[in-house]
Amino acid sequence: IYALDAVRAEVPDSVKLLMPSSEQLRYTLSKYHATQAAQRLGIPTPRTAFVYDGTQGGTWDDSGLAQLRYPLILKVDNRPLPAGGYQRGRAIRVDDAQQAQAVLFELRASGGAVIAQERVPGRGAGAFLLRAQGRTLLQFAHRRLHEVPYTGGVSSLRQSDPEAPALALGERLLAGLDYSGVAMVEFRRAPDGELHFLEINGRLWGSLALALHAGVDFPLAMVQAALSP
């Protein structure tokens, strides 16, 4: 997606790119900016310290970690490299302040935007939406029954679920960003049932087969929306 965005202006008009706009990639490729947007729109997130926005000359401020409870998840964003390459983001668990400072020292050298978040126990929940021309055309949701690693990660077993709260929050976020296209809005459901926003994936997702088995054909609807006048 990032590589295509870099040459978007060179793509012939006859070719339709089924991907977020350059402006919306700011949120789908950055947990820093997506989390800020979620908080601005009143969507619950894990308690967060915004350490560095990734801009040249930006201020590095890790003082906010003192207000958070360990364990923490330190997240560094995806970012382009000066030579034209691309560095994938990472999420690293730290269990105490000493470990956090050691990891932050490494992340500071990498140059990507960094946030620190309290770890939310529970399971993942996904809201999947297709939006076009300012409205939602299709939606689906699942709850995760098992993840790899088991403490939280990629879903390995999931079940379709109405998940009305997740869908409502996902729609509020995407509408607030005037988002067009498909997106997975990922949440963490705490033991008390509260949802906490984690990230936006601006692409078709790895568990797409579940939606297709349930009769919700996102790829077809995505193409039809792109070809409609």
Side-chain angles (χ1 to χ4, degrees):
I1 288 175
Y2 174 77
L4 278 173
D5 186 59
V7 296
R8 193 188 293 263
E10 303 170 33
V11 176
D13 292 339
S14 58
V15 176
K16 292 185 179 293
L17 298 180
L18 303 185
M19 56 183 276
S21 67
S22 297
E23 179 182 355
Q24 291 160 354
L25 284 176
R26 172 182 176 87
Y27 302 101
T28 63
L29 297 178
S30 169
K31 294 179 176 63
Y32 185 103
H33 294 296
T35 303
Q36 282 193 331
Q39 291 185 354
R40 185 173 66 249
L41 292 166
I43 296 168
T45 70
R47 291 186 63 198
T48 303
F50 295 93
V51 178
Y52 177 57
D53 67 3
T55 61
Q56 188 173 5
T59 301
W60 179 279
D61 181 9
D62 57 19
S63 62
L65 271 68
Q67 309 302 318
L68 303 180
R69 294 174 296 180
Y70 289 87
L72 302 179
I73 309 298
L74 302 180
K75 301 178 180 181
V76 59
D77 278 348
N78 306 284
R79 77 180 188 97
L81 300 173
Y86 189 73
Q87 178 176 286
R88 290 180 60 86
R90 291 186 291 158
I92 305 163
R93 173 175 168 149
V94 294
D95 293 313
D96 55 47
Q98 183 177 0
Q99 187 181 6
Q101 288 306 313
V103 173
L104 286 172
F105 180 81
E106 176 190 346
L107 295 182
R108 186 167 188 172
S110 74
V114 177
I115 62 174
Q117 293 185 319
E118 291 186 358
R119 181 182 177 276
V120 178
R123 285 285 175 266
F128 312 91
L129 300 102
L130 170 64
R131 290 180 54 82
Q133 300 178 355
R135 63 190 183 94
T136 296
L137 305 179
L138 206 60
Q139 61 181 23
F140 183 74
H142 76 213
R143 60 187 179 97
R144 294 181 175 181
L145 305 178
H146 190 278
E147 297 174 292
V148 179
Y150 186 72
T151 53
V154 178
S155 67
S156 54
L157 182 64
R158 54 245 159 205
Q159 182 178 46
S160 60
D161 195 320
E163 278 291 0
L167 287 169
L169 291 175
E171 181 149 10
R172 186 198 305 177
L173 177 59
L174 297 184
L177 298 176
D178 194 23
Y179 187 93
S180 291
V182 294
M184 171 188 181
V185 185
E186 186 173 347
F187 298 91
R188 192 80 170 163
R189 182 186 294 282
D192 63 3
E194 185 176 8
L195 291 166
H196 300 262
F197 166 78
L198 296 182
E199 65 179 343
I200 305 171
N201 290 308
R203 52 172 172 73
L204 292 171
W205 40 94
S207 59
L208 175 65
L210 178 60
L212 294 174
H213 284 308
V216 187
D217 196 331
F218 277 95
L220 177 60
M222 185 181 180
V223 172
Q224 290 174 334
L227 295 178
S228 64

Short mmCIF file of all heavy atoms in Angstrom, two decimals, residues 118-165:
data_model
loop_
_atom_site.label_atom_id
_atom_site.label_comp_id
_atom_site.label_asym_id
_atom_site.label_seq_id
_atom_site.Cartn_x
_atom_site.Cartn_y
_atom_site.Cartn_z
N GLU A 118 -0.95 1.18 28.34
CA GLU A 118 -1.17 0.13 29.32
C GLU A 118 -1.74 -1.10 28.61
O GLU A 118 -2.57 -0.97 27.71
CB GLU A 118 -2.14 0.60 30.40
CG GLU A 118 -1.57 1.67 31.32
CD GLU A 118 -2.49 2.01 32.47
OE1 GLU A 118 -3.60 1.44 32.53
OE2 GLU A 118 -2.11 2.84 33.32
N ARG A 119 -1.29 -2.27 29.03
CA ARG A 119 -1.80 -3.50 28.45
C ARG A 119 -3.21 -3.75 28.98
O ARG A 119 -3.46 -3.69 30.18
CB ARG A 119 -0.90 -4.68 28.79
CG ARG A 119 -1.37 -5.99 28.18
CD ARG A 119 -0.50 -7.15 28.57
NE ARG A 119 -1.03 -8.39 28.02
CZ ARG A 119 -1.98 -9.12 28.58
NH1 ARG A 119 -2.49 -8.73 29.74
NH2 ARG A 119 -2.42 -10.22 28.01
N VAL A 120 -4.13 -4.03 28.06
CA VAL A 120 -5.52 -4.32 28.42
C VAL A 120 -5.72 -5.83 28.35
O VAL A 120 -5.58 -6.43 27.27
CB VAL A 120 -6.51 -3.62 27.47
CG1 VAL A 120 -7.94 -3.98 27.82
CG2 VAL A 120 -6.30 -2.11 27.51
N PRO A 121 -6.02 -6.48 29.47
CA PRO A 121 -6.29 -7.93 29.41
C PRO A 121 -7.61 -8.19 28.69
O PRO A 121 -8.44 -7.29 28.55
CB PRO A 121 -6.38 -8.33 30.88
CG PRO A 121 -6.82 -7.08 31.58
CD PRO A 121 -6.18 -5.94 30.83
N GLY A 122 -7.79 -9.41 28.23
CA GLY A 122 -9.03 -9.74 27.56
C GLY A 122 -8.78 -10.36 26.20
O GLY A 122 -7.75 -11.00 25.97
N ARG A 123 -9.68 -10.15 25.28
CA ARG A 123 -9.60 -10.72 23.94
C ARG A 123 -9.88 -9.66 22.89
O ARG A 123 -10.51 -8.64 23.15
CB ARG A 123 -10.63 -11.86 23.78
CG ARG A 123 -10.23 -13.14 24.49
CD ARG A 123 -9.12 -13.86 23.71
NE ARG A 123 -8.64 -15.05 24.43
CZ ARG A 123 -7.59 -15.04 25.24
NH1 ARG A 123 -6.95 -13.92 25.47
NH2 ARG A 123 -7.19 -16.15 25.83
N GLY A 124 -9.41 -9.95 21.68
CA GLY A 124 -9.59 -9.00 20.59
C GLY A 124 -10.98 -9.07 19.99
O GLY A 124 -11.66 -10.10 20.05
N ALA A 125 -11.42 -7.96 19.43
CA ALA A 125 -12.69 -7.88 18.71
C ALA A 125 -12.46 -7.04 17.47
O ALA A 125 -11.75 -6.04 17.51
CB ALA A 125 -13.78 -7.25 19.59
N GLY A 126 -13.03 -7.46 16.37
CA GLY A 126 -12.83 -6.73 15.12
C GLY A 126 -14.14 -6.25 14.53
O GLY A 126 -15.13 -7.00 14.50
N ALA A 127 -14.14 -5.00 14.08
CA ALA A 127 -15.27 -4.44 13.34
C ALA A 127 -14.79 -4.18 11.92
O ALA A 127 -13.78 -3.52 11.71
CB ALA A 127 -15.76 -3.15 13.98
N PHE A 128 -15.50 -4.71 10.95
CA PHE A 128 -15.09 -4.63 9.55
C PHE A 128 -16.13 -3.85 8.78
O PHE A 128 -17.32 -4.18 8.84
CB PHE A 128 -14.95 -6.04 8.97
CG PHE A 128 -14.14 -6.96 9.86
CD1 PHE A 128 -14.78 -7.74 10.82
CD2 PHE A 128 -12.77 -7.04 9.74
CE1 PHE A 128 -14.05 -8.58 11.64
CE2 PHE A 128 -12.04 -7.88 10.56
CZ PHE A 128 -12.67 -8.65 11.51
N LEU A 129 -15.70 -2.84 8.08
CA LEU A 129 -16.65 -1.96 7.40
C LEU A 129 -16.17 -1.60 6.00
O LEU A 129 -14.95 -1.49 5.75
CB LEU A 129 -16.86 -0.66 8.20
CG LEU A 129 -17.41 -0.83 9.62
CD1 LEU A 129 -16.28 -0.67 10.63
CD2 LEU A 129 -18.49 0.19 9.92
N LEU A 130 -17.11 -1.42 5.12
CA LEU A 130 -16.86 -0.86 3.80
C LEU A 130 -17.64 0.43 3.70
O LEU A 130 -18.87 0.44 3.87
CB LEU A 130 -17.30 -1.83 2.69
CG LEU A 130 -17.30 -1.25 1.27
CD1 LEU A 130 -15.88 -0.88 0.82
CD2 LEU A 130 -17.93 -2.24 0.28
N ARG A 131 -16.94 1.53 3.43
CA ARG A 131 -17.56 2.84 3.32
C ARG A 131 -17.28 3.45 1.96
O ARG A 131 -16.21 3.25 1.38
CB ARG A 131 -17.05 3.78 4.42
CG ARG A 131 -17.53 3.42 5.81
CD ARG A 131 -17.00 4.40 6.85
NE ARG A 131 -17.29 5.78 6.54
CZ ARG A 131 -18.45 6.39 6.80
NH1 ARG A 131 -19.42 5.71 7.41
NH2 ARG A 131 -18.65 7.64 6.49
N ALA A 132 -18.25 4.20 1.46
CA ALA A 132 -18.10 4.92 0.20
C ALA A 132 -19.07 6.08 0.19
O ALA A 132 -20.20 5.96 0.69
CB ALA A 132 -18.35 4.01 -1.00
N GLN A 133 -18.62 7.19 -0.34
CA GLN A 133 -19.46 8.39 -0.48
C GLN A 133 -20.13 8.77 0.84
O GLN A 133 -21.31 9.14 0.87
CB GLN A 133 -20.50 8.17 -1.59
CG GLN A 133 -19.86 7.90 -2.95
CD GLN A 133 -20.87 7.64 -4.05
OE1 GLN A 133 -22.06 7.57 -3.79
NE2 GLN A 133 -20.39 7.52 -5.27
N GLY A 134 -19.38 8.67 1.93
CA GLY A 134 -19.85 9.15 3.21
C GLY A 134 -20.81 8.25 3.95
O GLY A 134 -21.40 8.66 4.96
N ARG A 135 -20.97 7.00 3.51
CA ARG A 135 -21.87 6.10 4.23
C ARG A 135 -21.30 4.68 4.25
O ARG A 135 -20.46 4.32 3.43
CB ARG A 135 -23.28 6.10 3.63
CG ARG A 135 -23.35 5.60 2.20
CD ARG A 135 -24.72 5.86 1.59
NE ARG A 135 -24.83 5.32 0.24
CZ ARG A 135 -25.33 4.12 -0.02
NH1 ARG A 135 -25.78 3.36 0.96
NH2 ARG A 135 -25.42 3.69 -1.26
N THR A 136 -21.77 3.89 5.19
CA THR A 136 -21.33 2.51 5.33
C THR A 136 -22.20 1.61 4.45
O THR A 136 -23.42 1.62 4.56
CB THR A 136 -21.42 2.07 6.80
OG1 THR A 136 -20.51 2.86 7.57
CG2 THR A 136 -21.04 0.60 6.95
N LEU A 137 -21.54 0.82 3.59
CA LEU A 137 -22.26 -0.07 2.67
C LEU A 137 -22.37 -1.49 3.20
O LEU A 137 -23.31 -2.21 2.88
CB LEU A 137 -21.53 -0.10 1.31
CG LEU A 137 -21.29 1.25 0.63
CD1 LEU A 137 -20.55 1.05 -0.68
CD2 LEU A 137 -22.61 1.98 0.39
N LEU A 138 -21.37 -1.91 3.99
CA LEU A 138 -21.32 -3.28 4.45
C LEU A 138 -20.59 -3.32 5.79
O LEU A 138 -19.64 -2.55 5.99
CB LEU A 138 -20.58 -4.14 3.43
CG LEU A 138 -20.90 -5.64 3.35
CD1 LEU A 138 -22.36 -5.88 3.02
CD2 LEU A 138 -20.01 -6.30 2.30
N GLN A 139 -21.03 -4.21 6.67
CA GLN A 139 -20.35 -4.33 7.95
C GLN A 139 -20.43 -5.77 8.47
O GLN A 139 -21.33 -6.52 8.12
CB GLN A 139 -20.92 -3.36 8.98
CG GLN A 139 -22.38 -3.57 9.32
CD GLN A 139 -22.88 -2.56 10.33
OE1 GLN A 139 -22.33 -1.47 10.49
NE2 GLN A 139 -23.95 -2.91 11.04
N PHE A 140 -19.46 -6.12 9.29
CA PHE A 140 -19.35 -7.46 9.85
C PHE A 140 -18.50 -7.35 11.10
O PHE A 140 -17.73 -6.39 11.24
CB PHE A 140 -18.69 -8.40 8.82
CG PHE A 140 -18.57 -9.83 9.25
CD1 PHE A 140 -19.67 -10.66 9.28
CD2 PHE A 140 -17.34 -10.36 9.62
CE1 PHE A 140 -19.57 -11.99 9.66
CE2 PHE A 140 -17.21 -11.68 10.00
CZ PHE A 140 -18.33 -12.50 10.02
N ALA A 141 -18.63 -8.31 12.00
CA ALA A 141 -17.80 -8.28 13.21
C ALA A 141 -17.52 -9.70 13.67
O ALA A 141 -18.28 -10.63 13.37
CB ALA A 141 -18.49 -7.50 14.32
N HIS A 142 -16.42 -9.87 14.36
CA HIS A 142 -16.13 -11.16 14.98
C HIS A 142 -15.52 -10.95 16.35
O HIS A 142 -15.05 -9.88 16.69
CB HIS A 142 -15.21 -12.01 14.08
CG HIS A 142 -13.77 -11.62 14.07
ND1 HIS A 142 -12.97 -11.77 12.94
CD2 HIS A 142 -12.92 -11.12 15.02
CE1 HIS A 142 -11.73 -11.38 13.22
NE2 HIS A 142 -11.69 -10.98 14.46
N ARG A 143 -15.56 -12.01 17.13
CA ARG A 143 -14.84 -12.02 18.40
C ARG A 143 -13.80 -13.12 18.33
O ARG A 143 -14.01 -14.17 17.72
CB ARG A 143 -15.78 -12.24 19.59
CG ARG A 143 -16.57 -13.52 19.59
CD ARG A 143 -17.59 -13.52 20.73
NE ARG A 143 -18.39 -14.74 20.75
CZ ARG A 143 -18.11 -15.78 21.54
NH1 ARG A 143 -17.05 -15.74 22.34
NH2 ARG A 143 -18.88 -16.86 21.52
N ARG A 144 -12.68 -12.89 18.94
CA ARG A 144 -11.58 -13.85 18.88
C ARG A 144 -11.71 -14.87 20.00
O ARG A 144 -11.86 -14.50 21.16
CB ARG A 144 -10.24 -13.11 18.97
CG ARG A 144 -9.99 -12.21 17.77
CD ARG A 144 -8.66 -11.51 17.86
NE ARG A 144 -8.40 -10.75 16.64
CZ ARG A 144 -7.29 -10.05 16.44
NH1 ARG A 144 -6.35 -10.01 17.37
NH2 ARG A 144 -7.11 -9.40 15.31
N LEU A 145 -11.62 -16.13 19.65
CA LEU A 145 -11.66 -17.21 20.62
C LEU A 145 -10.27 -17.66 21.02
O LEU A 145 -10.07 -18.21 22.09
CB LEU A 145 -12.45 -18.40 20.05
CG LEU A 145 -13.88 -18.10 19.56
CD1 LEU A 145 -14.51 -19.35 18.98
CD2 LEU A 145 -14.72 -17.53 20.69
N HIS A 146 -9.30 -17.44 20.13
CA HIS A 146 -7.91 -17.81 20.40
C HIS A 146 -7.01 -16.91 19.59
O HIS A 146 -7.32 -16.55 18.46
CB HIS A 146 -7.68 -19.29 20.03
CG HIS A 146 -6.37 -19.83 20.50
ND1 HIS A 146 -5.20 -19.61 19.81
CD2 HIS A 146 -6.04 -20.56 21.59
CE1 HIS A 146 -4.20 -20.20 20.46
NE2 HIS A 146 -4.68 -20.78 21.54
N GLU A 147 -5.88 -16.55 20.18
CA GLU A 147 -4.92 -15.68 19.52
C GLU A 147 -3.53 -16.28 19.64
O GLU A 147 -3.25 -17.09 20.53
CB GLU A 147 -4.94 -14.27 20.13
CG GLU A 147 -6.28 -13.56 19.97
CD GLU A 147 -6.33 -12.23 20.71
OE1 GLU A 147 -6.33 -12.26 21.95
OE2 GLU A 147 -6.36 -11.20 20.05
N VAL A 148 -2.64 -15.89 18.74
CA VAL A 148 -1.23 -16.31 18.78
C VAL A 148 -0.36 -15.08 18.87
O VAL A 148 -0.34 -14.27 17.94
CB VAL A 148 -0.87 -17.13 17.52
CG1 VAL A 148 0.60 -17.54 17.57
CG2 VAL A 148 -1.77 -18.35 17.39
N PRO A 149 0.36 -14.86 20.00
CA PRO A 149 0.36 -15.72 21.18
C PRO A 149 -0.97 -15.62 21.93
O PRO A 149 -1.75 -14.70 21.71
CB PRO A 149 1.51 -15.17 22.01
CG PRO A 149 1.58 -13.73 21.62
CD PRO A 149 1.25 -13.69 20.16
N TYR A 150 -1.20 -16.55 22.85
CA TYR A 150 -2.49 -16.64 23.52
C TYR A 150 -2.80 -15.38 24.33
O TYR A 150 -3.96 -15.02 24.53
CB TYR A 150 -2.51 -17.86 24.45
CG TYR A 150 -3.87 -18.11 25.07
CD1 TYR A 150 -4.93 -18.60 24.30
CD2 TYR A 150 -4.10 -17.84 26.40
CE1 TYR A 150 -6.18 -18.80 24.85
CE2 TYR A 150 -5.35 -18.06 26.97
CZ TYR A 150 -6.38 -18.53 26.19
OH TYR A 150 -7.62 -18.74 26.73
N THR A 151 -1.75 -14.70 24.81
CA THR A 151 -1.94 -13.50 25.61
C THR A 151 -2.38 -12.30 24.78
O THR A 151 -2.71 -11.25 25.32
CB THR A 151 -0.65 -13.15 26.35
OG1 THR A 151 0.43 -13.10 25.41
CG2 THR A 151 -0.33 -14.20 27.41
N GLY A 152 -2.38 -12.44 23.45
CA GLY A 152 -2.82 -11.34 22.59
C GLY A 152 -1.97 -11.24 21.35
O GLY A 152 -0.76 -11.11 21.44
N GLY A 153 -2.60 -11.33 20.18
CA GLY A 153 -1.85 -11.26 18.93
C GLY A 153 -2.77 -11.50 17.75
O GLY A 153 -3.91 -11.04 17.74
N VAL A 154 -2.31 -12.28 16.78
CA VAL A 154 -3.09 -12.59 15.58
C VAL A 154 -4.16 -13.62 15.92
O VAL A 154 -3.89 -14.58 16.64
CB VAL A 154 -2.16 -13.15 14.48
CG1 VAL A 154 -2.96 -13.51 13.24
CG2 VAL A 154 -1.08 -12.13 14.14
N SER A 155 -5.37 -13.41 15.41
CA SER A 155 -6.45 -14.34 15.72
C SER A 155 -6.25 -15.64 14.96
O SER A 155 -5.97 -15.65 13.77
CB SER A 155 -7.82 -13.73 15.38
OG SER A 155 -7.96 -13.55 13.98
N SER A 156 -6.37 -16.77 15.67
CA SER A 156 -6.25 -18.09 15.05
C SER A 156 -7.58 -18.84 15.09
O SER A 156 -7.73 -19.85 14.41
CB SER A 156 -5.16 -18.90 15.76
OG SER A 156 -5.40 -18.95 17.16
N LEU A 157 -8.53 -18.38 15.88
CA LEU A 157 -9.86 -18.97 15.94
C LEU A 157 -10.84 -17.85 16.31
O LEU A 157 -10.62 -17.16 17.29
CB LEU A 157 -9.92 -20.09 16.97
CG LEU A 157 -11.26 -20.84 17.11
CD1 LEU A 157 -11.59 -21.58 15.82
CD2 LEU A 157 -11.22 -21.80 18.28
N ARG A 158 -11.87 -17.68 15.53
CA ARG A 158 -12.81 -16.57 15.79
C ARG A 158 -14.22 -16.98 15.40
O ARG A 158 -14.42 -17.95 14.67
CB ARG A 158 -12.40 -15.31 15.04
CG ARG A 158 -12.21 -15.48 13.56
CD ARG A 158 -10.77 -15.25 13.16
NE ARG A 158 -10.46 -15.86 11.87
CZ ARG A 158 -9.25 -16.24 11.50
NH1 ARG A 158 -8.22 -16.07 12.30
NH2 ARG A 158 -9.03 -16.78 10.33
N GLN A 159 -15.16 -16.20 15.85
CA GLN A 159 -16.58 -16.49 15.63
C GLN A 159 -17.28 -15.21 15.23
O GLN A 159 -17.05 -14.15 15.80
CB GLN A 159 -17.18 -17.04 16.92
CG GLN A 159 -18.65 -17.43 16.81
CD GLN A 159 -19.17 -18.02 18.11
OE1 GLN A 159 -18.92 -17.47 19.19
NE2 GLN A 159 -19.85 -19.14 18.04
N SER A 160 -18.14 -15.31 14.20
CA SER A 160 -18.93 -14.14 13.83
C SER A 160 -19.78 -13.72 15.01
O SER A 160 -20.24 -14.54 15.79
CB SER A 160 -19.79 -14.44 12.60
OG SER A 160 -20.68 -15.50 12.87
N ASP A 161 -20.00 -12.42 15.11
CA ASP A 161 -20.67 -11.88 16.30
C ASP A 161 -21.31 -10.56 15.91
O ASP A 161 -20.67 -9.74 15.24
CB ASP A 161 -19.63 -11.65 17.40
CG ASP A 161 -20.27 -11.44 18.77
OD1 ASP A 161 -21.30 -10.76 18.84
OD2 ASP A 161 -19.72 -11.93 19.77
N PRO A 162 -22.56 -10.33 16.31
CA PRO A 162 -23.15 -9.02 15.98
C PRO A 162 -22.30 -7.85 16.45
O PRO A 162 -22.19 -6.83 15.77
CB PRO A 162 -24.49 -9.06 16.70
CG PRO A 162 -24.83 -10.50 16.79
CD PRO A 162 -23.52 -11.21 16.98
N GLU A 163 -21.68 -7.95 17.65
CA GLU A 163 -20.74 -6.95 18.15
C GLU A 163 -21.22 -5.52 17.90
O GLU A 163 -20.48 -4.68 17.39
CB GLU A 163 -19.36 -7.13 17.51
CG GLU A 163 -18.49 -8.19 18.14
CD GLU A 163 -18.01 -7.83 19.53
OE1 GLU A 163 -18.34 -6.75 20.04
OE2 GLU A 163 -17.30 -8.67 20.12
N ALA A 164 -22.47 -5.24 18.23
CA ALA A 164 -23.01 -3.91 17.96
C ALA A 164 -22.16 -2.78 18.54
O ALA A 164 -21.94 -1.77 17.86
CB ALA A 164 -24.44 -3.82 18.49
N PRO A 165 -21.65 -2.90 19.77
CA PRO A 165 -20.81 -1.81 20.29
C PRO A 165 -19.55 -1.58 19.46
O PRO A 165 -19.17 -0.43 19.19
CB PRO A 165 -20.48 -2.28 21.71
CG PRO A 165 -21.57 -3.22 22.08
CD PRO A 165 -21.90 -3.93 20.81
#
